[in-house]
Amino acid sequence: MRTILVFVSISVLAAAHACCAQQEAAAAQCSVKYATDSQLLFGDVFEACKSGCQPRTDDWSQGCNPAVVPNPLRYGTCRPSQTQLVLRHLSGQGDFAAMSRFSPCTLHQHLKGRTLWLVGDSLMKNYYLALRCFLLDFWDHAKGECAPTPDPALHRAIYQAADTNISSVLGSNVITDVPRCLHLVSGGRVCWVHCVRGEEFAGTDPQAPGLLPLLQSSGVAKGRDVFFVNFGRWHYFNCLGLQEDTYRKSLHQLGEFYQATRSSFPNLIFKVSSHDHTACQQGQQAARAIKDKCVPVSEGAYPLTLGRTVASIGEQVLSRYGVPLINTYNATVALHLGHIFHPLGEVQDCLHYCSPGIPEYDMWGMFKAMQALSIKPLEPQTAGVTAAADAAAATAAADEAAAAAAAEPAAQACVPVTDTIPPPGWSYYYDSKFRRGGSAAGGGDVAQMRQDEWDVLV
Ligand SMILES: *[C@@H]1O[C@H](CO)[C@@H](O)[C@H](O)[C@H]1NC(C)=O
Ligand SMILES: *[C@@H]1O[C@H](CO)[C@@H](O)[C@H](O)[C@H]1NC(C)=O
């Protein structure tokens, strides 16, 4: 992995000495020590931990062991040559040196005492799984994954707000994952909430509340929390085009929601969709995707403007409402070789990106967006001091002060979540398909269903 440095220019290397005071300070205070010459962001966490580490032999850690290939706990790992290719591509960026030094200590320091809500489709799930490995030593492996609330009725309500009965452009439905969280070792959480369609994010119908309004109004989310969200993919397909109306409308709804709630929940970051390299068959009108290899954009037989339009509509609409966003679309266009291989066979998936690669680059983008929002580590002695003039900031700061005032955040109760499948009564689609005399029953069919989902490239 370290061989990638040969691609980095001398001037970038020189900048590396100056760039990383923040990383060094975080490392000095960190309860976990890593080998100092490691590329923690790009795959070295598993091997570089020296002290304060979570165990390395349990399933959670083995799920992050780069030597385990294919890895059942990962969405898709990169071959070493793929990671190098992505890094070579990214090395032209001005802050590459700082990115290369980005450490889980720094991210954890900023997340301590907060919940990071990761909300989105399978691309965001891929990101969650990568982040779970990056933060491997900062969450309690003995607990595993926990429900976002110990209240089962509320857990179900969150699920139902995130779940959708609207099919994709291709006519397929989703089996929404049960939401789950990692409990960080010194308080705080990372929560994964699977929510694929924009309609479900900020809807205002009291009978079918949007996910974000529910998380906020129920008290499960706090003002100091960070929401990292994306939708887009379930509104288009390279070979069929864009469902622009629902996509645009959902973006407006999210923007309006942010405007209405930002005084108490200021930390929302939207990530626009990356490029999808799914190629279409020449001369076919319908949704025929080519699945055996990923090709450069110029050979994909889909409109080159499509992915760019999805990204730029997101940016145009949300920036009108002042929603902070990250847009790494351009950096992904050339990376058709940075995608994953299907875990069930050597078929390439040209939508999801392999790891370490683009998901890790997105972690850096998220961290930069957090800094731009002035999300700082919660400190009891400083929280709340600076913000008196601004009512909006004052509310958030008061919340932060309250959070920090608790000397040690009380350990949150963990109700373990061990299955991604919704329990009976949670999902209309799942139950009608697999329960109550639905067309199929039993685990084998669920596996087939997952395969079908994969086949339509959700
Ligand atoms: C979900 O969609 C199906 C098919 O479009 C429809 O028959 C059903 O009533 C819907 N269910 C709910 C709970 O909205
Ligand atoms: C991405 O590239 C396009 C075309 O080269 C350019 O017009 C646009 O400004 C770029 N967007 C960003 C966010 O860098």
Side-chain angles (χ1 to χ4, degrees), residues 1 39-48 64-66 83 134 355-357 360:
M1 192 78 52
Q39 286 260 328
L40 296 175
L41 183 59
F42 289 105
D44 285 355
V45 161
F46 180 81
E47 279 165 6
C64 303
N65 181 353
T83 298
F134 184 55
S355 191
E360 284 69 18

PDB file of all heavy atoms in Angstrom, residues 1 39-48 64-66 83 134 355-357 360:
ATOM      1  N   MET A   1       0.823  -1.210   0.000  1.00  0.00           N
ATOM      2  CA  MET A   1       0.000   0.000   0.000  1.00  0.00           C
ATOM      3  C   MET A   1       0.856   1.259   0.000  1.00  0.00           C
ATOM      4  O   MET A   1       0.560   2.224  -0.653  1.00  0.00           O
ATOM      5  CB  MET A   1      -0.878  -0.017   1.249  1.00  0.00           C
ATOM      6  CG  MET A   1      -1.986   1.014   1.241  1.00  0.00           C
ATOM      7  SD  MET A   1      -3.377   0.531   0.222  1.00  0.00           S
ATOM      8  CE  MET A   1      -3.725  -1.118   0.873  1.00  0.00           C
ATOM      9  N   GLN A  39      -1.104   3.908   6.420  1.00  0.00           N
ATOM     10  CA  GLN A  39      -2.151   4.558   5.622  1.00  0.00           C
ATOM     11  C   GLN A  39      -3.476   4.096   6.212  1.00  0.00           C
ATOM     12  O   GLN A  39      -4.119   3.201   5.666  1.00  0.00           O
ATOM     13  CB  GLN A  39      -2.054   4.064   4.182  1.00  0.00           C
ATOM     14  CG  GLN A  39      -0.911   4.620   3.389  1.00  0.00           C
ATOM     15  CD  GLN A  39      -1.383   5.740   2.488  1.00  0.00           C
ATOM     16  OE1 GLN A  39      -2.514   5.729   2.007  1.00  0.00           O
ATOM     17  NE2 GLN A  39      -0.532   6.712   2.264  1.00  0.00           N
ATOM     18  N   LEU A  40      -3.884   4.697   7.304  1.00  0.00           N
ATOM     19  CA  LEU A  40      -5.040   4.164   8.029  1.00  0.00           C
ATOM     20  C   LEU A  40      -6.313   4.251   7.204  1.00  0.00           C
ATOM     21  O   LEU A  40      -7.132   3.344   7.202  1.00  0.00           O
ATOM     22  CB  LEU A  40      -5.196   4.885   9.369  1.00  0.00           C
ATOM     23  CG  LEU A  40      -4.021   4.660  10.343  1.00  0.00           C
ATOM     24  CD1 LEU A  40      -4.201   5.505  11.594  1.00  0.00           C
ATOM     25  CD2 LEU A  40      -3.868   3.187  10.703  1.00  0.00           C
ATOM     26  N   LEU A  41      -6.478   5.351   6.486  1.00  0.00           N
ATOM     27  CA  LEU A  41      -7.709   5.506   5.705  1.00  0.00           C
ATOM     28  C   LEU A  41      -7.795   4.456   4.603  1.00  0.00           C
ATOM     29  O   LEU A  41      -8.872   3.986   4.275  1.00  0.00           O
ATOM     30  CB  LEU A  41      -7.790   6.923   5.120  1.00  0.00           C
ATOM     31  CG  LEU A  41      -9.064   7.241   4.330  1.00  0.00           C
ATOM     32  CD1 LEU A  41     -10.320   7.076   5.174  1.00  0.00           C
ATOM     33  CD2 LEU A  41      -9.011   8.659   3.758  1.00  0.00           C
ATOM     34  N   PHE A  42      -6.661   4.111   4.034  1.00  0.00           N
ATOM     35  CA  PHE A  42      -6.699   3.246   2.850  1.00  0.00           C
ATOM     36  C   PHE A  42      -6.285   1.803   3.143  1.00  0.00           C
ATOM     37  O   PHE A  42      -5.605   1.171   2.367  1.00  0.00           O
ATOM     38  CB  PHE A  42      -5.903   3.876   1.715  1.00  0.00           C
ATOM     39  CG  PHE A  42      -6.609   5.080   1.158  1.00  0.00           C
ATOM     40  CD1 PHE A  42      -6.176   6.370   1.454  1.00  0.00           C
ATOM     41  CD2 PHE A  42      -7.757   4.936   0.395  1.00  0.00           C
ATOM     42  CE1 PHE A  42      -6.862   7.480   0.966  1.00  0.00           C
ATOM     43  CE2 PHE A  42      -8.451   6.038  -0.088  1.00  0.00           C
ATOM     44  CZ  PHE A  42      -8.008   7.311   0.193  1.00  0.00           C
ATOM     45  N   GLY A  43      -6.705   1.302   4.295  1.00  0.00           N
ATOM     46  CA  GLY A  43      -6.657  -0.146   4.486  1.00  0.00           C
ATOM     47  C   GLY A  43      -5.764  -0.678   5.580  1.00  0.00           C
ATOM     48  O   GLY A  43      -5.746  -1.884   5.814  1.00  0.00           O
ATOM     49  N   ASP A  44      -4.998   0.198   6.281  1.00  0.00           N
ATOM     50  CA  ASP A  44      -4.031  -0.335   7.241  1.00  0.00           C
ATOM     51  C   ASP A  44      -4.571  -0.514   8.664  1.00  0.00           C
ATOM     52  O   ASP A  44      -3.850  -1.012   9.521  1.00  0.00           O
ATOM     53  CB  ASP A  44      -2.786   0.569   7.305  1.00  0.00           C
ATOM     54  CG  ASP A  44      -1.890   0.381   6.071  1.00  0.00           C
ATOM     55  OD1 ASP A  44      -2.203  -0.508   5.253  1.00  0.00           O
ATOM     56  OD2 ASP A  44      -0.907   1.124   5.944  1.00  0.00           O
ATOM     57  N   VAL A  45      -5.809  -0.089   8.930  1.00  0.00           N
ATOM     58  CA  VAL A  45      -6.311  -0.144  10.313  1.00  0.00           C
ATOM     59  C   VAL A  45      -6.209  -1.548  10.903  1.00  0.00           C
ATOM     60  O   VAL A  45      -5.780  -1.736  12.041  1.00  0.00           O
ATOM     61  CB  VAL A  45      -7.773   0.367  10.385  1.00  0.00           C
ATOM     62  CG1 VAL A  45      -8.472  -0.102  11.656  1.00  0.00           C
ATOM     63  CG2 VAL A  45      -7.803   1.892  10.313  1.00  0.00           C
ATOM     64  N   PHE A  46      -6.565  -2.547  10.122  1.00  0.00           N
ATOM     65  CA  PHE A  46      -6.608  -3.907  10.664  1.00  0.00           C
ATOM     66  C   PHE A  46      -5.249  -4.328  11.215  1.00  0.00           C
ATOM     67  O   PHE A  46      -5.159  -4.918  12.285  1.00  0.00           O
ATOM     68  CB  PHE A  46      -7.076  -4.909   9.598  1.00  0.00           C
ATOM     69  CG  PHE A  46      -7.136  -6.318  10.116  1.00  0.00           C
ATOM     70  CD1 PHE A  46      -8.230  -6.741  10.861  1.00  0.00           C
ATOM     71  CD2 PHE A  46      -6.083  -7.203   9.897  1.00  0.00           C
ATOM     72  CE1 PHE A  46      -8.272  -8.032  11.371  1.00  0.00           C
ATOM     73  CE2 PHE A  46      -6.129  -8.490  10.404  1.00  0.00           C
ATOM     74  CZ  PHE A  46      -7.222  -8.907  11.144  1.00  0.00           C
ATOM     75  N   GLU A  47      -4.188  -3.991  10.481  1.00  0.00           N
ATOM     76  CA  GLU A  47      -2.871  -4.485  10.875  1.00  0.00           C
ATOM     77  C   GLU A  47      -2.060  -3.506  11.705  1.00  0.00           C
ATOM     78  O   GLU A  47      -1.103  -3.899  12.363  1.00  0.00           O
ATOM     79  CB  GLU A  47      -2.079  -4.881   9.623  1.00  0.00           C
ATOM     80  CG  GLU A  47      -2.494  -6.264   9.163  1.00  0.00           C
ATOM     81  CD  GLU A  47      -2.047  -6.588   7.756  1.00  0.00           C
ATOM     82  OE1 GLU A  47      -1.307  -5.778   7.163  1.00  0.00           O
ATOM     83  OE2 GLU A  47      -2.458  -7.650   7.260  1.00  0.00           O
ATOM     84  N   ALA A  48      -2.411  -2.217  11.671  1.00  0.00           N
ATOM     85  CA  ALA A  48      -1.515  -1.214  12.258  1.00  0.00           C
ATOM     86  C   ALA A  48      -1.788  -0.907  13.722  1.00  0.00           C
ATOM     87  O   ALA A  48      -1.089  -0.111  14.328  1.00  0.00           O
ATOM     88  CB  ALA A  48      -1.589   0.074  11.441  1.00  0.00           C
ATOM     89  N   CYS A  64     -12.974  -7.077   8.500  1.00  0.00           N
ATOM     90  CA  CYS A  64     -12.166  -5.955   8.017  1.00  0.00           C
ATOM     91  C   CYS A  64     -10.739  -6.387   7.683  1.00  0.00           C
ATOM     92  O   CYS A  64      -9.882  -5.546   7.412  1.00  0.00           O
ATOM     93  CB  CYS A  64     -12.126  -4.851   9.071  1.00  0.00           C
ATOM     94  SG  CYS A  64     -13.765  -4.270   9.550  1.00  0.00           S
ATOM     95  N   ASN A  65     -10.496  -7.686   7.737  1.00  0.00           N
ATOM     96  CA  ASN A  65      -9.149  -8.197   7.465  1.00  0.00           C
ATOM     97  C   ASN A  65      -8.932  -8.247   5.957  1.00  0.00           C
ATOM     98  O   ASN A  65      -9.614  -8.993   5.252  1.00  0.00           O
ATOM     99  CB  ASN A  65      -9.035  -9.600   8.079  1.00  0.00           C
ATOM    100  CG  ASN A  65      -7.664 -10.215   7.864  1.00  0.00           C
ATOM    101  OD1 ASN A  65      -6.830  -9.659   7.144  1.00  0.00           O
ATOM    102  ND2 ASN A  65      -7.437 -11.360   8.490  1.00  0.00           N
ATOM    103  N   PRO A  66      -7.989  -7.459   5.446  1.00  0.00           N
ATOM    104  CA  PRO A  66      -7.809  -7.424   3.986  1.00  0.00           C
ATOM    105  C   PRO A  66      -7.394  -8.775   3.409  1.00  0.00           C
ATOM    106  O   PRO A  66      -7.565  -9.012   2.210  1.00  0.00           O
ATOM    107  CB  PRO A  66      -6.706  -6.376   3.760  1.00  0.00           C
ATOM    108  CG  PRO A  66      -6.215  -5.947   5.098  1.00  0.00           C
ATOM    109  CD  PRO A  66      -7.076  -6.554   6.168  1.00  0.00           C
ATOM    110  N   THR A  83      -7.055  -0.409  -5.410  1.00  0.00           N
ATOM    111  CA  THR A  83      -6.839   0.660  -4.434  1.00  0.00           C
ATOM    112  C   THR A  83      -5.734   1.593  -4.927  1.00  0.00           C
ATOM    113  O   THR A  83      -5.857   2.817  -4.842  1.00  0.00           O
ATOM    114  CB  THR A  83      -6.476   0.061  -3.055  1.00  0.00           C
ATOM    115  OG1 THR A  83      -7.573  -0.731  -2.610  1.00  0.00           O
ATOM    116  CG2 THR A  83      -6.219   1.164  -2.029  1.00  0.00           C
ATOM    117  N   PHE A 134     -13.100   1.319   9.273  1.00  0.00           N
ATOM    118  CA  PHE A 134     -12.170   2.417   9.578  1.00  0.00           C
ATOM    119  C   PHE A 134     -12.190   2.700  11.078  1.00  0.00           C
ATOM    120  O   PHE A 134     -11.151   2.930  11.703  1.00  0.00           O
ATOM    121  CB  PHE A 134     -12.581   3.653   8.770  1.00  0.00           C
ATOM    122  CG  PHE A 134     -11.649   4.833   8.928  1.00  0.00           C
ATOM    123  CD1 PHE A 134     -10.290   4.718   8.674  1.00  0.00           C
ATOM    124  CD2 PHE A 134     -12.146   6.079   9.306  1.00  0.00           C
ATOM    125  CE1 PHE A 134      -9.434   5.813   8.799  1.00  0.00           C
ATOM    126  CE2 PHE A 134     -11.313   7.182   9.428  1.00  0.00           C
ATOM    127  CZ  PHE A 134      -9.939   7.042   9.179  1.00  0.00           C
ATOM    128  N   SER A 355     -13.551  -1.145  -1.816  1.00  0.00           N
ATOM    129  CA  SER A 355     -12.976  -0.532  -0.630  1.00  0.00           C
ATOM    130  C   SER A 355     -11.702  -1.290  -0.250  1.00  0.00           C
ATOM    131  O   SER A 355     -11.709  -2.511  -0.322  1.00  0.00           O
ATOM    132  CB  SER A 355     -14.027  -0.664   0.483  1.00  0.00           C
ATOM    133  OG  SER A 355     -13.711   0.078   1.597  1.00  0.00           O
ATOM    134  N   PRO A 356     -10.597  -0.641   0.150  1.00  0.00           N
ATOM    135  CA  PRO A 356     -10.422   0.805   0.275  1.00  0.00           C
ATOM    136  C   PRO A 356     -10.304   1.481  -1.092  1.00  0.00           C
ATOM    137  O   PRO A 356      -9.550   1.041  -1.950  1.00  0.00           O
ATOM    138  CB  PRO A 356      -9.096   0.958   1.032  1.00  0.00           C
ATOM    139  CG  PRO A 356      -8.618  -0.419   1.338  1.00  0.00           C
ATOM    140  CD  PRO A 356      -9.421  -1.397   0.589  1.00  0.00           C
ATOM    141  N   GLY A 357     -11.069   2.538  -1.237  1.00  0.00           N
ATOM    142  CA  GLY A 357     -11.125   3.262  -2.501  1.00  0.00           C
ATOM    143  C   GLY A 357     -12.056   4.445  -2.329  1.00  0.00           C
ATOM    144  O   GLY A 357     -11.905   5.251  -1.416  1.00  0.00           O
ATOM    145  N   GLU A 360     -13.711   5.372   1.092  1.00  0.00           N
ATOM    146  CA  GLU A 360     -12.789   6.021   2.023  1.00  0.00           C
ATOM    147  C   GLU A 360     -12.572   7.482   1.614  1.00  0.00           C
ATOM    148  O   GLU A 360     -12.463   8.371   2.472  1.00  0.00           O
ATOM    149  CB  GLU A 360     -11.460   5.256   2.051  1.00  0.00           C
ATOM    150  CG  GLU A 360     -11.519   3.945   2.841  1.00  0.00           C
ATOM    151  CD  GLU A 360     -12.356   2.850   2.189  1.00  0.00           C
ATOM    152  OE1 GLU A 360     -12.632   2.920   0.975  1.00  0.00           O
ATOM    153  OE2 GLU A 360     -12.747   1.908   2.916  1.00  0.00           O
TER     154      GLU A 360
END
